[in-house]
Amino acid sequence: MTSQYFVDANRTDDYTQDGNILTPYKTLSAAYAAAKIGAAMLNPKYINLLSSITENLTMDTGYVGLQGFTNSGVRAPLYLNGTITIAPTAGTITDNFFGITNLAIQKPEVTSGNCIDVLGGAVPLRVFLESVWLQNGSPGSFGVNINNTGASSVVNGQLNQFSPFATGGGIQVINGICNMVDSDSTGGSASCDSMFAAASGGKLNFARCQLEGNATHMIKCSGGDYGTSGYNITLGQTLLTNNRSTGHGITLSAGSLASIGTCGLNIQTGSGAKAINGVASANLATFPYSLVLFDSVTFVNAAGIIARNTTVTTNKAAYSVMS
C-alpha cells in the first residue's frame, strides 16, 4: 500500500520495517519521515497507529494524516503520550493541510507542554481535528495551543473531547482562528485559570458544544485588537458551565469583541462570580434566546437590567434571568 503507513510500538521482534501492516514501523517519526516523501494534494499519505505509543512528533509537511487505527466507531481511541507539533516551514495554505483523527493525546501533569502545538510562524496552514481526545495537566498547558499568523490559517475541529486535569486547559489561541463544532469539555481542573482563551491575535468560535470546567474563567479574552476585523469569541447553540463557586463564565478585557447566540451560561453562587465579566470598552453582541443562569447576579441584576458599562448590543429579549 503506497499511501498507507503503519506503526506498532508494541512490536519487539526483529524484522525489516517498511510500514506495511505486517512489518510496521515501531516509531511515528520513522513512519512520518517515509510518508512525507512525495506527499501532496494529489498524493496524500496516511499514518495508521496500531497501538498506543509514547513519543513526540513534529509534522512539517502537509497531506500526511495521522489516525488511530482501531476500526471502531466508538470514542475509545489509542493513546499518544506526548506532544504533536504542527509547524510547516514553507508553502501556501493549499500545500499545508494537516489532519488528526480517532486518537487520544495525553500530557501527564508531571510533563510540561501542550497536547497539540499549531505553530509555523507566518506560514499559512489548515488543521483538521476529528474525534481527538486531549488530556493535559501541567500549569498553563492546553489541549490545543495555536500561534500561527499565516493569512487565512485555521484549525477546524469536530467531535473532540477536552479532558484536562490538575491545572490544564482546553484551547488557547494566541494568533489564528479556531472553530470547534459538536465538541465538549469536562471540569476536572481544580486550579485552572482559563479553560479556553483567546489573545489579541486570536479568534475562537464554538458551535453546538457543551463546555464545562472548574476554572477562574471558562472563556477568557485577553486582548482586543483582533476585534477591529472580527469577533474574538463567538458561541452559538452552546451550553457553558463553570463548576467553580467563584468562577466566571466569559471574561472580556478592554477592546475585545464577543458574540453569543442561543446559548446557556450556567454559573455558580460564589461571591463575585459573573456569567459575563466585562469591563469598559469590551463589546458584547447578544441575539435572541440566550439564557444566562446564575444565582449571584452582578453583570445582569435580578430585574434583568445590565449593570456594568460593557457595551452590549441586544436583539429582542436577549437575557433571561433565573435565581
Side-chain angles (χ1 to χ4, degrees):
M1 293 178 283
T2 58
S3 64
Q4 302 284 335
Y5 297 80
F6 293 86
V7 177
D8 190 350
N10 288 339
R11 290 285 293 269
T12 58
D13 51 325
D14 293 327
Y15 59 89
T16 300
Q17 302 175 42
D18 59 8
N20 188 282
I21 193 169
L22 298 179
T23 51
Y25 291 107
K26 297 180 181 180
T27 65
L28 282 170
S29 58
Y32 194 83
K36 71 179 186 178
I37 298 173
M41 181 186 298
L42 299 179
N43 187 34
K45 308 291 186 70
Y46 306 93
I47 297 176
N48 303 285
L49 189 59
L50 297 173
S51 65
S52 294
I53 193 169
T54 298
E55 185 178 353
N56 295 323
L57 176 66
T58 296
M59 304 174 72
D60 58 8
T61 302
Y63 296 98
V64 180
L66 174 62
Q67 61 184 351
F69 196 71
T70 59
N71 288 327
S72 172
V74 300
R75 295 180 65 179
L78 297 169
Y79 273 83
L80 183 150
N81 294 289
T83 295
I84 295 178
T85 301
I86 300 174
T89 57
T92 67
I93 195 167
T94 55
D95 298 318
N96 294 316
F97 277 50
F98 298 85
I100 303 172
T101 185
N102 200 29
L103 188 66
I105 304 172
Q106 184 180 64
K107 290 290 293 185
E109 182 180 358
V110 296
T111 305
S112 62
N114 307 301
C115 294
I116 298 177
D117 276 315
V118 180
L119 307 176
V123 179
L125 53 77
R126 286 180 181 168
V127 178
F128 301 90
L129 307 175
E130 184 173 356
S131 296
V132 179
W133 190 6
L134 299 126
Q135 304 173 32
N136 57 292
S138 62
S141 69
F142 289 87
V144 180
N145 172 61
I146 303 166
N147 189 3
N148 179 281
T149 59
S152 301
S153 289
V154 63
V155 176
N156 291 317
Q158 184 175 11
L159 299 173
N160 297 307
Q161 169 81 40
F162 297 90
S163 300
F165 48 88
T167 56
I171 302 172
Q172 174 178 254
V173 187
I174 298 173
N175 289 292
I177 300 172
C178 180
N179 303 314
M180 282 289 153
V181 179
D182 296 324
S183 299
D184 60 272
S185 67
T186 55
S189 299
S191 56
C192 175
D193 177 72
S194 304
M195 179 64 77
F196 302 99
S200 59
K203 189 173 182 180
L204 181 55
N205 307 308
F206 294 100
R208 301 196 307 270
C209 292
Q210 183 168 330
L211 308 177
E212 181 182 0
N214 188 355
T216 302
H217 317 273
M218 271 299 295
I219 299 178
K220 182 179 181 180
C221 184
S222 60
D225 57 340
Y226 199 103
T228 61
S229 58
Y231 291 103
N232 297 101
I233 302 291
T234 67
L235 276 77
Q237 296 178 293
T238 291
L239 174 62
L240 185 150
T241 300
N242 195 346
N243 293 322
R244 179 171 293 185
S245 63
T246 58
H248 304 310
I250 301 171
T251 296
L252 303 174
S253 66
S256 57
L257 183 59
S259 174
I260 305 172
T262 319
C263 295
L265 279 70
N266 187 11
I267 308 303
Q268 302 302 312
T269 60
S271 175
K274 303 177 183 68
I276 301 170
N277 180 31
V279 298
S281 79
N283 297 285
L284 171 67
T286 65
F287 297 94
Y289 317 122
S290 290
L291 179 64
V292 180
L293 305 174
F294 47 84
D295 293 310
S296 178
V297 180
T298 52
F299 181 79
V300 180
N301 67 19
I305 300 172
I306 297 165
R308 297 180 63 85
N309 60 358
T310 297
T311 301
V312 178
T313 302
T314 62
N315 183 5
K316 298 183 181 178
Y319 287 102
S320 295
V321 178
M322 296 181 63
S323 61

